[in-house]
Amino acid sequence: MNILHLDSNHPLLIRELNALGFTNTLDFSASKEEIEKTIHKYDGIIIRSRFKIDAAFLDKATTLKFIGRVGAGLENIDCDYAQKKGISLIAAPEGNRNAVGEHSLALLLSLFNKLNKADREVRNGKWLREENRGIELDGKTVGLIGYGNMGKSFAKKLRGFDVTVLCCDIKPDVGDENATQVSLQELQQRCDVLSLHTPETPLTTKMVNTKFIRGFAKPFWFINTARGKSVVTEDLALALKNGAVLGAGLDVLEYEKASFESLFSSHMPEAFQYLIASENVILSPHVAGWTVESKERLAQTIVDKIKAEFC
């Protein structure tokens, strides 16, 4: 089988696929249009998020047997059309779930203890102790929306704290020893912290908006390491201003390009200007699952799944 690699990944991916007898071609620079002219030669594609694989692209991929996404989600692929054409879709959420769980916890603890604010102030010669008095996670109720690989990883990290963990998911019976599954309404009534762990779907796009935020019984802290387009940033900024949201740790943003590799295409929105000026907001550039260890683990997961299905 001939495999086309459209993004750079950990070298073990190529090394192990070569060892399995596959022919690997690397093309990290050609345009989508140029790739479409040769895609009929390949049995498999390995991609991160370089461009969208849509129906027109798939129609030209006449011998394609699988698409491997070195990441957790498949939103940049027309999954329904691919499956109708008998193309296997291979993702690797197992590869970076631990990293996402750790990053989620890091954002939350940094917010509670004002670490970014305190660090900046000390570097500027300010020694403000009372102004940087933190709050403790113990005794809080943490609500997770989405309880798959990422949500379960975060819940496991929370076991060391005296917290109540609730989860809400469209699938029934996903709760376990680390989280109790409840309805969205119950989660909104009880939680002090909300963390998103959902894929990007029509159901989750713009899910966190003013109406959603007003459904919570008390002000809450918000963590998003899932997908930026699940949040209406303008509505989140308003909630931060009026105290409905106490603080936010955001690894993903509504304004990200589909490739996740860059941010704005034009001007900086007013809502984002508010976020970057806010002391109770921590931002990171979509790196929650982006660790040294996860880079290797993601590649290995893809290899293992290809081997299981095609060898």
Side-chain angles (χ1 to χ4, degrees):
M1 290 175 66
N2 297 312
I3 302 176
L4 177 62
H5 297 254
L6 295 171
D7 293 288
S8 62
N9 290 291
H10 194 281
L12 81 77
L13 184 58
I14 301 294
R15 184 174 67 245
E16 296 204 12
L17 289 175
N18 280 334
L20 291 170
F22 295 106
T23 300
N24 295 279
T25 300
L26 282 59
D27 190 338
F28 304 155
S29 59
S31 68
K32 181 180 179 181
E33 291 72 22
E34 290 170 327
I35 296 293
E36 285 178 344
K37 294 176 183 178
T38 60
I39 194 59
H40 63 280
K41 300 177 183 179
Y42 297 98
D43 303 289
I45 298 173
I46 304 290
I47 191 170
R48 288 203 315 266
S49 302
R50 184 166 149 198
F51 54 70
K52 185 173 179 62
I53 297 181
D54 51 22
F57 183 93
L58 292 170
D59 281 338
K60 295 178 174 65
T62 52
T63 61
L64 199 63
K65 297 178 178 65
F66 74 85
I67 301 169
R69 164 95 210 290
V70 187
L74 294 167
E75 65 267 25
N76 279 352
I77 301 168
D78 188 333
C79 296
D80 291 339
Y81 194 64
Q83 289 171 333
K84 285 179 183 177
K85 295 175 76 70
I87 298 170
S88 294
L89 301 175
I90 300 171
E94 304 90 344
N96 63 356
R97 60 189 174 190
N98 183 70
V100 171
E102 290 190 7
H103 197 92
S104 301
L105 183 58
L107 288 172
L108 182 55
L109 292 177
S110 295
L111 282 172
F112 273 25
N113 293 283
K114 304 181 181 180
L115 294 183
N116 282 24
K117 173 180 178 292
D119 176 77
R120 285 193 302 269
E121 290 173 353
V122 173
R123 289 173 188 273
N124 289 314
K126 297 179 181 179
W127 194 258
L128 305 175
R129 298 183 66 230
E130 185 58 38
E131 291 85 346
N132 287 301
R133 190 183 290 273
I135 62 172
E136 297 178 14
L137 182 53
D138 276 18
K140 305 295 189 296
T141 297
V142 181
L144 313 178
I145 296 184
Y147 202 61
N149 281 282
M150 309 307 168
K152 288 178 184 291
S153 176
F154 186 33
K156 185 177 179 181
K157 307 302 176 194
L158 291 167
R159 287 181 66 172
F161 297 88
D162 183 16
V163 295
T164 299
V165 182
L166 308 175
C167 67
C168 175
D169 196 282
I170 59 172
K171 296 179 181 178
D173 304 319
V174 297
D176 56 21
E177 68 276 12
N178 298 325
T180 301
Q181 187 168 9
V182 298
S183 67
L184 176 60
Q185 291 72 27
E186 183 174 348
L187 184 145
Q188 288 178 307
Q189 286 296 308
R190 295 175 59 187
C191 77
D192 302 293
V193 176
L194 171 67
S195 186
L196 292 190
H197 300 279
T198 49
E200 185 178 312
T201 69
L203 188 64
T204 63
T205 299
K206 299 185 184 299
M207 175 178 67
V208 179
N209 54 27
T210 296
K211 180 180 178 181
F212 175 88
I213 293 169
R214 286 175 177 168
F216 284 77
K218 52 187 173 181
F220 62 93
W221 300 82
F222 179 59
I223 305 294
N224 188 10
T225 54
R227 287 294 182 258
K229 287 182 172 53
S230 295
V231 179
V232 179
T233 311
E234 187 175 355
D235 292 358
L236 175 60
L238 177 62
L240 285 162
K241 290 176 186 177
N242 64 30
V245 173
L246 299 170
L250 308 174
D251 180 57
V252 291
L253 290 168
E254 180 183 5
Y255 314 111
E256 287 180 74
K257 297 287 185 64
S259 66
F260 307 140
E261 296 296 331
S262 59
L263 199 53
F264 303 107
S265 56
S266 56
H267 70 286
M268 186 182 295
E270 184 178 339
F272 184 65
Q273 294 181 47
Y274 177 81
L275 294 183
I276 62 176
S278 299
E279 292 183 336
N280 59 341
V281 174
I282 296 179
L283 304 166
S284 56
H286 203 136
V287 293
W290 203 256
T291 62
V292 172
E293 294 85 357
S294 73
K295 183 176 183 180
E296 180 173 355
R297 202 177 295 119
L298 284 164
Q300 188 65 61
T301 301
I302 293 294
V303 170
D304 292 344
K305 290 185 177 182
I306 293 172
K307 181 179 179 180
E309 187 167 352
F310 295 101
C311 292

